[in-house]
Amino acid sequence: MSEALRVGVAGLGTVGSSVVRILAAKSDELTRQCGRPIVVTAVSARDRSRDRGIDLSGIEWYDDAAEMAEKAGIDVLVELIGGDNGPAMACVKAALKAGRHVVTANKALLASQGLALAEIAEKKGVLLNYEAAVAGGIPIIKTMREAMAANTISRVYGILNGTCNYILTRMEAEKMDFAECLADAQRLGYAEADPTFDIEGQDTAHKLAILTSLAFGTKISPDDIYLEGISNITQADIKAAGELGYRIKLLGVALRTETGIEQRVHPTMVPMSSVIAQVHGVTNAVAIETDTLGELLLSGPGAGGDATASSVIGDLADIAKSRPGFQHGPVFGRPVRELAPYKRARMRSHEGGYFIRLSVRDRAGVFAAVAKRMAENNISLESIVQHANGQNTPDVKTVILVTHETMEASVRKAVEKITGDGHLIDKPQVIRIERAA
Ligand code: HSE
């Protein structure tokens, strides 16, 4: 039997503890699969005394993850600390420079520093694997890096944040409060250390930036992503969406347009009949549209300790099976020098359908004034309805408009004009509609 693959785990939170536990529990089976054992020989975390329900006896402890990456007798560093700088960056860099493979679940780090890290990995001839960084347990990186060579991708989109999908699902199904749903997601170990990263869309954006690079062969460009989170989605939006035959999901979308690549993260109305509308709770889904394959949709657990550990351990098994000269391909699907510069399509040029919800004063001419602003901006309406706003506010009405395909710039201008007309009693709500599988 070949020598064991020696692993150092940096970060023993929900995911790190699952990795250590599953590696021990499945040790015999993994050894049979890989032809050699995978053994955790070193760990690093903040608090040594905390009971994590895992056996750490015989495992070397390091207070400093970078020191472990450099000095411990390990073949692979598993980085599960998180964050786009600080100790995560320090230990990953140290490991790669020392010629050790790295497995990471850190999407923030890859989105901001992925290219620089990939260059070091290439130079050192080691692997930088990150299946767990995007969509938790779904093998989307493997699919995009290894199985799509015959395909030109036109659009990649999906539900990439378990916390947001969990919140939106429960808000709809149980008419629950946003804050209560978020607290449950945190308790279940889905949310980031700072949950604003989840609900304001940054976590989805980090994951989308990685998928965009893999899909279009471009340099990673997280700062070019249009970003809106779910914190202003209300029960009124969820209810209106349902009545119109839509469901609201936080989507990350990247597509090739005539002027460049559009990357956006925002709450989105998807047709109730689409498969992606049936993706509930912490489940994620990623759809890829290509010329050769048509449409591919992968769906599965997107967050949580064991789901994420499944991807980490899959990456470790790939390393254990690899032999010098027979390693897997480049970090972002092609060598760094082959990645094209990213060319951004402007969000104002985005074309699609729009849902617009307005709270207006109930007086003569308001409905007509709203319709006039739409016509002035060449926006063709699919529907326009007016509802009473409830007994407590008899002088307020809700107007809901659904547009045909139109340009973002026109919608922004029309909504600005309507706001300026002085008929609104609240901020207008605009939600994009997306064609979906
Ligand atoms: N906070 C993330 C989520 C964890 O909710 O999807 C997985 O990246």
Side-chain angles (χ1 to χ4, degrees):
M1 162 119 22
S2 307
E3 277 177 17
L5 183 79
R6 298 161 304 167
V7 177
V9 179
L12 287 177
T14 317
V15 180
S17 301
S18 284
V19 168
V20 173
R21 183 175 42 76
I22 297 171
L23 279 176
K26 303 213 167 196
S27 143
D28 290 349
E29 171 53 25
L30 283 164
T31 305
R32 275 193 294 274
Q33 270 187 45
C34 302
R36 61 200 285 211
I38 302 175
V39 183
V40 177
T41 56
V43 291
S44 169
R46 265 195 305 230
D47 181 0
R48 194 169 186 162
S49 62
R50 205 177 116 202
D51 180 12
R52 298 171 171 88
I54 49 174
D55 183 9
L56 295 176
S57 53
I59 300 178
E60 241 186 313
W61 180 278
Y62 284 83
D63 290 323
D64 180 7
E67 191 189 336
M68 177 177 80
E70 225 172 320
K71 298 197 182 141
I74 55 172
D75 306 300
V76 191
L77 170 80
V78 174
E79 185 275 306
L80 301 169
I81 299 171
D84 65 353
N85 227 310
M89 177 64 174
C91 71
V92 168
K93 220 171 175 175
L96 293 175
K97 283 192 165 164
R100 306 187 205 282
H101 304 293
V102 169
V103 171
T104 177
N106 192 335
K107 51 265 165 174
L109 180 68
L110 289 165
S112 68
Q113 323 270 2
L115 292 182
L117 295 172
E119 268 176 349
I120 306 175
E122 276 179 17
K123 206 183 294 168
K124 290 287 181 180
V126 293
L127 294 168
L128 170 56
N129 286 353
Y130 53 92
E131 188 60 74
V134 181
I138 303 176
I140 184 64
I141 303 302
K142 223 180 236 305
T143 303
M144 293 186 77
R145 271 206 313 198
E146 296 169 28
M148 304 300 282
N151 294 268
T152 302
I153 296 174
S154 49
R155 181 168 71 136
V156 56
Y157 65 97
I159 296 170
L160 301 174
N161 185 270
T163 300
C164 285
N165 207 46
Y166 177 87
I167 291 173
L168 290 171
T169 302
R170 291 198 70 189
M171 279 178 78
E172 182 190 337
E174 299 171 50
K175 313 257 173 311
M176 265 171 83
D177 194 28
F178 179 86
E180 209 181 326
C181 299
L182 173 60
D184 276 352
Q186 286 178 285
R187 190 178 48 76
L188 292 164
Y190 303 149
E192 296 300 301
D194 177 355
T196 55
F197 270 66
D198 296 294
I199 60 178
E200 298 307 342
Q202 283 102 335
D203 180 73
T204 301
H206 292 145
K207 294 166 180 169
L208 182 68
I210 296 168
L211 294 184
T212 304
S213 173
L214 290 168
F216 303 115
T218 50
K219 295 199 158 65
I220 300 183
S221 196
D223 297 337
D224 286 311
I225 299 180
Y226 175 82
L227 192 59
E228 266 178 40
I230 63 163
S231 58
N232 69 348
I233 296 296
T234 64
Q235 285 294 341
D237 298 318
I238 290 173
K239 188 162 170 276
E243 285 167 6
L244 291 162
Y246 293 102
R247 183 164 273 149
I248 301 175
K249 296 288 181 191
L250 182 76
L251 290 194
V253 185
L255 75 153
R256 206 189 277 281
T257 75
E258 277 168 18
T259 57
I261 291 166
E262 195 174 287
Q263 288 188 99
R264 48 193 165 84
V265 172
H266 49 72
T268 311
M269 298 245 183
V270 291
M272 195 72 91
S273 56
S274 62
V275 179
I276 217 149
Q278 320 311 320
V279 174
H280 300 305
V282 73
T283 309
N284 281 193
V286 186
I288 309 168
E289 284 175 0
T290 89
D291 54 350
T292 311
L293 196 55
E295 187 150 59
L296 178 71
L297 187 106
L298 279 83
S299 150
D306 286 4
T308 312
S310 162
S311 288
V312 170
I313 293 171
D315 278 349
L316 284 171
D318 280 349
I319 294 172
K321 289 172 192 167
S322 72
R323 299 286 179 270
F326 292 95
Q327 294 192 341
H328 294 266
V331 178
F332 294 106
R334 56 187 79 189
V336 173
R337 65 172 186 284
E338 297 292 338
L339 292 170
Y342 175 84
K343 183 162 181 267
R344 177 185 191 160
R346 291 171 65 220
M347 193 58 197
R348 295 178 70 82
S349 312
H350 166 69
E351 286 180 45
Y354 289 78
F355 161 97
I356 303 165
R357 181 174 59 78
L358 307 170
S359 290
V360 300
R361 282 177 225 289
D362 187 11
R363 55 190 182 206
V366 172
F367 202 71
V370 168
K372 182 169 157 264
R373 291 300 188 192
M374 291 289 147
E376 276 171 9
N377 286 285
N378 230 355
I379 299 171
S380 162
L381 293 175
E382 188 178 297
S383 70
I384 173 165
V385 285
Q386 180 170 310
H387 291 296
N389 220 35
Q391 285 171 348
N392 296 338
T393 49
D395 52 341
V396 175
K397 293 276 185 282
T398 299
V399 176
I400 290 169
L401 307 115
V402 176
T403 76
H404 283 298
E405 185 130 322
T406 187
M407 205 178 266
E408 172 105 4
S410 309
V411 172
R412 289 192 194 176
K413 211 155 143 206
V415 169
E416 196 184 299
K417 288 284 181 196
I418 292 167
T419 308
D421 287 341
H423 305 305
L424 303 187
I425 56 115
D426 212 350
K427 256 188 86 193
Q429 177 71 293
V430 177
I431 302 178
R432 293 165 193 85
I433 298 172
E434 188 83 14
R435 178 175 56 79

PDB file of all heavy atoms in Angstrom, residues 59-78:
ATOM      1  N   ILE A  59      -3.381  13.915  16.985  1.00  0.00           N
ATOM      2  CA  ILE A  59      -3.266  14.899  15.895  1.00  0.00           C
ATOM      3  C   ILE A  59      -2.519  16.123  16.429  1.00  0.00           C
ATOM      4  O   ILE A  59      -2.850  16.629  17.510  1.00  0.00           O
ATOM      5  CB  ILE A  59      -4.666  15.301  15.373  1.00  0.00           C
ATOM      6  CG1 ILE A  59      -5.402  14.060  14.830  1.00  0.00           C
ATOM      7  CG2 ILE A  59      -4.560  16.375  14.296  1.00  0.00           C
ATOM      8  CD1 ILE A  59      -6.808  14.326  14.321  1.00  0.00           C
ATOM      9  N   GLU A  60      -1.523  16.568  15.677  1.00  0.00           N
ATOM     10  CA  GLU A  60      -0.734  17.725  16.107  1.00  0.00           C
ATOM     11  C   GLU A  60      -1.585  18.994  16.087  1.00  0.00           C
ATOM     12  O   GLU A  60      -2.323  19.209  15.115  1.00  0.00           O
ATOM     13  CB  GLU A  60       0.395  17.935  15.095  1.00  0.00           C
ATOM     14  CG  GLU A  60       1.791  17.836  15.657  1.00  0.00           C
ATOM     15  CD  GLU A  60       2.801  18.210  14.582  1.00  0.00           C
ATOM     16  OE1 GLU A  60       2.701  17.720  13.445  1.00  0.00           O
ATOM     17  OE2 GLU A  60       3.682  19.016  14.904  1.00  0.00           O
ATOM     18  N   TRP A  61      -1.480  19.820  17.120  1.00  0.00           N
ATOM     19  CA  TRP A  61      -2.284  21.060  17.188  1.00  0.00           C
ATOM     20  C   TRP A  61      -1.401  22.271  16.904  1.00  0.00           C
ATOM     21  O   TRP A  61      -0.291  22.384  17.424  1.00  0.00           O
ATOM     22  CB  TRP A  61      -2.915  21.208  18.584  1.00  0.00           C
ATOM     23  CG  TRP A  61      -3.741  22.470  18.680  1.00  0.00           C
ATOM     24  CD1 TRP A  61      -3.260  23.726  18.928  1.00  0.00           C
ATOM     25  CD2 TRP A  61      -5.136  22.601  18.484  1.00  0.00           C
ATOM     26  NE1 TRP A  61      -4.281  24.634  18.899  1.00  0.00           N
ATOM     27  CE2 TRP A  61      -5.467  23.972  18.627  1.00  0.00           C
ATOM     28  CE3 TRP A  61      -6.165  21.697  18.205  1.00  0.00           C
ATOM     29  CZ2 TRP A  61      -6.751  24.447  18.504  1.00  0.00           C
ATOM     30  CZ3 TRP A  61      -7.459  22.183  18.085  1.00  0.00           C
ATOM     31  CH2 TRP A  61      -7.746  23.543  18.234  1.00  0.00           C
ATOM     32  N   TYR A  62      -1.868  23.171  16.079  1.00  0.00           N
ATOM     33  CA  TYR A  62      -1.165  24.430  15.826  1.00  0.00           C
ATOM     34  C   TYR A  62      -2.108  25.588  16.124  1.00  0.00           C
ATOM     35  O   TYR A  62      -3.264  25.565  15.683  1.00  0.00           O
ATOM     36  CB  TYR A  62      -0.739  24.538  14.358  1.00  0.00           C
ATOM     37  CG  TYR A  62       0.452  23.689  14.004  1.00  0.00           C
ATOM     38  CD1 TYR A  62       0.279  22.338  13.706  1.00  0.00           C
ATOM     39  CD2 TYR A  62       1.729  24.230  13.960  1.00  0.00           C
ATOM     40  CE1 TYR A  62       1.367  21.548  13.390  1.00  0.00           C
ATOM     41  CE2 TYR A  62       2.829  23.452  13.632  1.00  0.00           C
ATOM     42  CZ  TYR A  62       2.644  22.105  13.340  1.00  0.00           C
ATOM     43  OH  TYR A  62       3.717  21.334  13.018  1.00  0.00           O
ATOM     44  N   ASP A  63      -1.616  26.591  16.820  1.00  0.00           N
ATOM     45  CA  ASP A  63      -2.427  27.794  17.034  1.00  0.00           C
ATOM     46  C   ASP A  63      -2.444  28.646  15.773  1.00  0.00           C
ATOM     47  O   ASP A  63      -3.378  29.392  15.517  1.00  0.00           O
ATOM     48  CB  ASP A  63      -1.868  28.628  18.199  1.00  0.00           C
ATOM     49  CG  ASP A  63      -2.100  27.928  19.529  1.00  0.00           C
ATOM     50  OD1 ASP A  63      -3.176  27.299  19.672  1.00  0.00           O
ATOM     51  OD2 ASP A  63      -1.204  27.971  20.397  1.00  0.00           O
ATOM     52  N   ASP A  64      -1.355  28.548  15.004  1.00  0.00           N
ATOM     53  CA  ASP A  64      -1.206  29.394  13.819  1.00  0.00           C
ATOM     54  C   ASP A  64      -1.291  28.531  12.547  1.00  0.00           C
ATOM     55  O   ASP A  64      -0.451  27.642  12.325  1.00  0.00           O
ATOM     56  CB  ASP A  64       0.152  30.111  13.913  1.00  0.00           C
ATOM     57  CG  ASP A  64       0.393  31.014  12.717  1.00  0.00           C
ATOM     58  OD1 ASP A  64      -0.529  31.174  11.901  1.00  0.00           O
ATOM     59  OD2 ASP A  64       1.514  31.536  12.589  1.00  0.00           O
ATOM     60  N   ALA A  65      -2.308  28.807  11.730  1.00  0.00           N
ATOM     61  CA  ALA A  65      -2.545  27.970  10.537  1.00  0.00           C
ATOM     62  C   ALA A  65      -1.401  28.088   9.531  1.00  0.00           C
ATOM     63  O   ALA A  65      -1.034  27.108   8.871  1.00  0.00           O
ATOM     64  CB  ALA A  65      -3.866  28.372   9.881  1.00  0.00           C
ATOM     65  N   ALA A  66      -0.820  29.294   9.398  1.00  0.00           N
ATOM     66  CA  ALA A  66       0.272  29.461   8.429  1.00  0.00           C
ATOM     67  C   ALA A  66       1.500  28.666   8.857  1.00  0.00           C
ATOM     68  O   ALA A  66       2.204  28.085   8.026  1.00  0.00           O
ATOM     69  CB  ALA A  66       0.610  30.943   8.287  1.00  0.00           C
ATOM     70  N   GLU A  67       1.716  28.621  10.176  1.00  0.00           N
ATOM     71  CA  GLU A  67       2.842  27.829  10.683  1.00  0.00           C
ATOM     72  C   GLU A  67       2.619  26.348  10.379  1.00  0.00           C
ATOM     73  O   GLU A  67       3.530  25.631   9.954  1.00  0.00           O
ATOM     74  CB  GLU A  67       2.983  28.062  12.191  1.00  0.00           C
ATOM     75  CG  GLU A  67       4.270  27.505  12.748  1.00  0.00           C
ATOM     76  CD  GLU A  67       4.305  27.540  14.273  1.00  0.00           C
ATOM     77  OE1 GLU A  67       3.599  28.371  14.884  1.00  0.00           O
ATOM     78  OE2 GLU A  67       5.030  26.695  14.837  1.00  0.00           O
ATOM     79  N   MET A  68       1.361  25.899  10.556  1.00  0.00           N
ATOM     80  CA  MET A  68       1.043  24.502  10.238  1.00  0.00           C
ATOM     81  C   MET A  68       1.302  24.234   8.746  1.00  0.00           C
ATOM     82  O   MET A  68       1.898  23.218   8.376  1.00  0.00           O
ATOM     83  CB  MET A  68      -0.425  24.205  10.581  1.00  0.00           C
ATOM     84  CG  MET A  68      -0.856  22.788  10.204  1.00  0.00           C
ATOM     85  SD  MET A  68      -2.560  22.433  10.678  1.00  0.00           S
ATOM     86  CE  MET A  68      -3.447  23.227   9.341  1.00  0.00           C
ATOM     87  N   ALA A  69       0.835  25.174   7.899  1.00  0.00           N
ATOM     88  CA  ALA A  69       0.975  24.991   6.445  1.00  0.00           C
ATOM     89  C   ALA A  69       2.441  24.866   6.038  1.00  0.00           C
ATOM     90  O   ALA A  69       2.788  24.132   5.125  1.00  0.00           O
ATOM     91  CB  ALA A  69       0.337  26.173   5.717  1.00  0.00           C
ATOM     92  N   GLU A  70       3.290  25.568   6.755  1.00  0.00           N
ATOM     93  CA  GLU A  70       4.706  25.607   6.408  1.00  0.00           C
ATOM     94  C   GLU A  70       5.491  24.463   7.033  1.00  0.00           C
ATOM     95  O   GLU A  70       6.290  23.817   6.369  1.00  0.00           O
ATOM     96  CB  GLU A  70       5.262  26.930   6.956  1.00  0.00           C
ATOM     97  CG  GLU A  70       6.143  27.674   5.989  1.00  0.00           C
ATOM     98  CD  GLU A  70       6.453  29.037   6.553  1.00  0.00           C
ATOM     99  OE1 GLU A  70       5.538  29.670   7.139  1.00  0.00           O
ATOM    100  OE2 GLU A  70       7.593  29.438   6.466  1.00  0.00           O
ATOM    101  N   LYS A  71       5.209  24.235   8.347  1.00  0.00           N
ATOM    102  CA  LYS A  71       6.116  23.356   9.108  1.00  0.00           C
ATOM    103  C   LYS A  71       5.619  21.945   9.359  1.00  0.00           C
ATOM    104  O   LYS A  71       6.430  21.042   9.577  1.00  0.00           O
ATOM    105  CB  LYS A  71       6.427  24.011  10.469  1.00  0.00           C
ATOM    106  CG  LYS A  71       7.137  25.345  10.310  1.00  0.00           C
ATOM    107  CD  LYS A  71       7.796  25.759  11.592  1.00  0.00           C
ATOM    108  CE  LYS A  71       8.457  27.124  11.429  1.00  0.00           C
ATOM    109  NZ  LYS A  71       8.281  27.942  12.637  1.00  0.00           N
ATOM    110  N   ALA A  72       4.297  21.741   9.378  1.00  0.00           N
ATOM    111  CA  ALA A  72       3.814  20.393   9.724  1.00  0.00           C
ATOM    112  C   ALA A  72       4.158  19.433   8.583  1.00  0.00           C
ATOM    113  O   ALA A  72       4.251  19.841   7.429  1.00  0.00           O
ATOM    114  CB  ALA A  72       2.307  20.434   9.947  1.00  0.00           C
ATOM    115  N   GLY A  73       4.319  18.175   8.906  1.00  0.00           N
ATOM    116  CA  GLY A  73       4.609  17.181   7.862  1.00  0.00           C
ATOM    117  C   GLY A  73       3.328  16.788   7.143  1.00  0.00           C
ATOM    118  O   GLY A  73       2.774  15.708   7.370  1.00  0.00           O
ATOM    119  N   ILE A  74       2.807  17.683   6.318  1.00  0.00           N
ATOM    120  CA  ILE A  74       1.536  17.398   5.617  1.00  0.00           C
ATOM    121  C   ILE A  74       1.742  17.489   4.097  1.00  0.00           C
ATOM    122  O   ILE A  74       2.645  18.162   3.613  1.00  0.00           O
ATOM    123  CB  ILE A  74       0.403  18.379   6.033  1.00  0.00           C
ATOM    124  CG1 ILE A  74       0.834  19.848   5.815  1.00  0.00           C
ATOM    125  CG2 ILE A  74      -0.021  18.140   7.462  1.00  0.00           C
ATOM    126  CD1 ILE A  74      -0.285  20.868   6.028  1.00  0.00           C
ATOM    127  N   ASP A  75       0.863  16.786   3.365  1.00  0.00           N
ATOM    128  CA  ASP A  75       0.886  16.852   1.894  1.00  0.00           C
ATOM    129  C   ASP A  75      -0.159  17.839   1.383  1.00  0.00           C
ATOM    130  O   ASP A  75      -0.021  18.390   0.297  1.00  0.00           O
ATOM    131  CB  ASP A  75       0.584  15.467   1.298  1.00  0.00           C
ATOM    132  CG  ASP A  75       1.511  14.408   1.852  1.00  0.00           C
ATOM    133  OD1 ASP A  75       2.728  14.551   1.671  1.00  0.00           O
ATOM    134  OD2 ASP A  75       1.026  13.451   2.510  1.00  0.00           O
ATOM    135  N   VAL A  76      -1.237  18.005   2.155  1.00  0.00           N
ATOM    136  CA  VAL A  76      -2.345  18.871   1.731  1.00  0.00           C
ATOM    137  C   VAL A  76      -2.792  19.750   2.895  1.00  0.00           C
ATOM    138  O   VAL A  76      -2.947  19.262   4.012  1.00  0.00           O
ATOM    139  CB  VAL A  76      -3.596  18.049   1.329  1.00  0.00           C
ATOM    140  CG1 VAL A  76      -4.624  18.943   0.646  1.00  0.00           C
ATOM    141  CG2 VAL A  76      -3.269  16.861   0.495  1.00  0.00           C
ATOM    142  N   LEU A  77      -3.035  21.020   2.578  1.00  0.00           N
ATOM    143  CA  LEU A  77      -3.682  21.894   3.552  1.00  0.00           C
ATOM    144  C   LEU A  77      -5.157  22.000   3.171  1.00  0.00           C
ATOM    145  O   LEU A  77      -5.480  22.300   2.019  1.00  0.00           O
ATOM    146  CB  LEU A  77      -3.067  23.295   3.510  1.00  0.00           C
ATOM    147  CG  LEU A  77      -3.853  24.329   4.330  1.00  0.00           C
ATOM    148  CD1 LEU A  77      -3.525  24.206   5.822  1.00  0.00           C
ATOM    149  CD2 LEU A  77      -3.600  25.744   3.854  1.00  0.00           C
ATOM    150  N   VAL A  78      -6.057  21.771   4.140  1.00  0.00           N
ATOM    151  CA  VAL A  78      -7.482  22.025   3.926  1.00  0.00           C
ATOM    152  C   VAL A  78      -7.813  23.324   4.652  1.00  0.00           C
ATOM    153  O   VAL A  78      -7.726  23.386   5.883  1.00  0.00           O
ATOM    154  CB  VAL A  78      -8.349  20.862   4.471  1.00  0.00           C
ATOM    155  CG1 VAL A  78      -9.825  21.204   4.379  1.00  0.00           C
ATOM    156  CG2 VAL A  78      -8.058  19.579   3.702  1.00  0.00           C
TER     157      VAL A  78
END
